[in-house]
Amino acid sequence: MLIRKIAAAVFAVLALGGVQAVTAAPATAAPRILYYDASQAQEFKAVVDQGAQIWNNSVTNVRLLPVTAGRTPNIRIYADNGWPRTYSSSLGNGYWYMGRQAVNQGYNPPRISAHEFGHILGLPDRRTGLCADLMSGSSAPVSCTNANPNATEARTVNSRFASAVAVPPQVYAWQ
Ligand SMILES: [Zn+2]
């Protein structure tokens, strides 16, 4: 507030003096790039890409990209017959499983994918039962097909990566 007042005062003085004030664009840091390896996601490779794309469309401070040859991925994705689950080691790093147990029960695969990526991006489970919440996970009805984070979830991820907040290792299970 004080800074804004000072800035306004400086601007006024400059304007009075006939000096053209150039407004600097706000400093925007480059997004943090996280590489993910879907090569072991079996039949879910496309849905893993879809989950990553959903986040890329929703946030600005972090980008999820397929890992390129010779680079160590931040995130690995596997598939098995258990519940989907995430093992996050720190903000932006870890691995997760696309679990057929949930897929076979009818849970929406893109929603599962985006949800598990959400854990890697620093969001905990919030079992609100609401389909509009991505991190409500399996507490929303099986029929829920919303795979997009809500505004609060997207904002939280942006702020976590803006300050590179420390996130301790966590394990999250779909159910
Ligand atoms: Zn979860």
Side-chain angles (χ1 to χ4, degrees), residues 115-116 119 125 135 172-174:
H115 175 98
E116 301 305 329
H119 286 315
D125 282 309
M135 300 316 289
Y172 301 97
W174 183 256

Side-chain angles (χ1 to χ4, degrees), residues 35-119:
Y35 293 97
Y36 67 91
D37 179 1
S39 66
Q40 294 172 89
Q42 303 180 48
E43 72 270 35
F44 300 111
K45 287 188 186 77
V47 96
V48 168
D49 289 335
Q50 205 178 335
Q53 199 53 52
I54 285 166
W55 278 108
N56 289 342
N57 292 341
S58 306
V59 296
T60 51
N61 287 348
V62 61
R63 279 194 77 74
L64 295 163
L65 298 179
V67 71
T68 47
R71 199 184 280 277
T72 303
N74 300 88
I75 307 153
R76 292 178 203 272
I77 300 96
Y78 304 100
D80 72 3
N81 293 330
W83 290 108
R85 59 207 185 275
T86 295
Y87 302 81
S88 125
S89 51
S90 63
L91 181 67
N93 294 291
Y95 58 99
W96 60 268
Y97 280 81
M98 195 69 200
R100 294 187 190 91
Q101 194 153 353
V103 176
N104 293 345
Q105 287 197 8
Y107 286 104
N108 181 254
R111 177 172 163 83
I112 297 171
S113 172
H115 175 98
E116 301 305 329
F117 269 126
H119 286 315

Side-chain angles (χ1 to χ4, degrees), residues 118-145:
H119 286 315
I120 297 285
L121 300 178
L123 297 179
D125 282 309
R126 285 191 71 245
R127 302 192 194 276
T128 59
L130 300 175
C131 184
D133 298 342
L134 180 61
M135 300 316 289
S136 66
S138 67
S139 73
V142 173
S143 60
C144 173
T145 58

